[in-house]
Amino acid sequence: MDNWAFGITMTIVGVGGTFLTLWILSLVMDLLKKVFPLSAEDTKTDKNA
């Protein structure tokens, strides 16, 4: 395998790994939002503060 083929292969693997990690993190965040939802009281804005 020459240097160019190795470089392209590593680039594709790196980009794929990055997107896979971001997708897994988004799933974890969605799960946490379902486990710990915001209550209606938390979403109100306090104009007197």
Side-chain angles (χ1 to χ4, degrees), residues 1-27:
M1 182 182 287
D2 63 340
N3 286 339
W4 279 100
F6 179 73
I8 296 296
T9 303
M10 289 305 295
T11 301
I12 292 171
V13 169
V15 169
T18 300
F19 281 126
L20 179 66
T21 303
L22 288 172
W23 179 69
I24 291 170
L25 284 172
S26 70
L27 289 178

Side-chain angles (χ1 to χ4, degrees), residues 25-41:
L25 284 172
S26 70
L27 289 178
V28 169
M29 287 188 289
D30 287 341
L31 178 67
L32 287 173
K33 284 180 186 177
K34 290 180 182 179
V35 172
F36 302 110
L38 282 177
S39 64
E41 187 176 291

